[in-house]
Amino acid sequence: MTLVKESGKAEITQFDTATIAAKNFWRKLLAKPIGKSNLPLDYSLRHDQSNQTSAELQTADAPAEKSISAASFDIDVSLFESIQRLSKGGHFLIYTIVTTGVHLCLHRYNDSGSVVTGSPARSYHDVDFQNALPIVSEICSESSFKSLLLSTRAQLLESYKHQEYSWQQIVDDFGLPRSKGCPLFDVAVSYDALHSSLPDQIKNDITVNID
């Protein structure tokens, strides 16, 4: 709490300690530059085409590029059973395992040891509080899956503790441009049983959704 005097009046400004703690958490987490995932894309991205006409997307010699908004697939039964055994059916641990796996896959496509994906805010008591949280992993050749799993679990717990600090504020804190793409991450991972939805303004490239 600080005391501010202005025009002969004493005004008391009380700082929100939770907001300050959240700001410091995100500043520390994102202090190291993190690049794009560099995933090779099979389809053009719909949000990149929103301001283009059909003439711009198609030439006389080439057909218009395909675009896709959603695709679904089933995971292998044995893999599903392994995840169920490891997580004991807990939604949070299922999400932790899948997020760790996605981070390992993304690590193959970039040249950095830092990988980031997005997570929606965790849903509590059926309250649909929307936010987008960057989840970062530091991966090296010596990293074991168990160590990555534990570090991802710890970071998710801390991130959800500070999830009320909005993604827009994080962007502003770091002076990132608010372009048509998401400035915090290009790949997100969500789980219907655990999360609220991502904000509509988030235009990341790919979302892996577990339903």
Side-chain angles (χ1 to χ4, degrees), residues 30-75:
L30 301 173
K32 183 178 179 180
I34 302 170
K36 290 281 189 178
S37 64
N38 296 323
L39 275 178
L41 301 177
D42 295 321
Y43 298 91
S44 60
L45 302 175
R46 187 176 298 276
H47 66 76
D48 284 344
Q49 301 176 352
S50 58
N51 296 321
Q52 292 178 287
T53 64
S54 58
E56 292 172 320
L57 294 173
Q58 186 173 9
T59 66
D61 299 325
E65 293 184 33
K66 293 181 180 180
S67 64
I68 188 168
S69 58
S72 62
F73 62 91
D74 296 323
I75 65 172

Side-chain angles (χ1 to χ4, degrees), residues 112-139:
S112 172
S114 299
V115 176
V116 61
T117 57
S119 169
R122 190 168 183 175
S123 179
Y124 292 101
H125 308 298
D126 297 324
V127 176
D128 188 30
F129 172 74
Q130 294 187 349
N131 201 3
L133 314 174
I135 307 300
V136 181
S137 283
E138 297 290 338
I139 304 176

Side-chain angles (χ1 to χ4, degrees), residues 131-161:
N131 201 3
L133 314 174
I135 307 300
V136 181
S137 283
E138 297 290 338
I139 304 176
C140 63
S141 57
E142 293 80 18
S143 300
S144 66
F145 184 78
K146 181 179 179 180
S147 66
L148 289 173
L149 191 64
L150 291 174
S151 63
T152 301
R153 177 182 179 275
Q155 189 192 143
L156 285 169
L157 289 172
E158 283 298 306
S159 297
Y160 294 144
K161 185 189 299 183

Side-chain angles (χ1 to χ4, degrees), residues 22 25-26 29-30 95 99 103 116-124 129-136 155-168 170 182 184-189 195-199 202:
F25 169 78
W26 294 114
L29 180 67
L30 301 173
Y95 180 73
T99 298
H103 280 198
V116 61
T117 57
S119 169
R122 190 168 183 175
S123 179
Y124 292 101
F129 172 74
Q130 294 187 349
N131 201 3
L133 314 174
I135 307 300
V136 181
Q155 189 192 143
L156 285 169
L157 289 172
E158 283 298 306
S159 297
Y160 294 144
K161 185 189 299 183
H162 301 298
Q163 70 176 12
E164 293 189 5
Y165 197 77
S166 72
W167 69 271
Q168 296 101 323
I170 297 175
C182 177
L184 296 175
F185 51 82
D186 51 6
V187 177
V189 184
H195 295 125
S196 300
S197 54
L198 282 168
I202 293 291

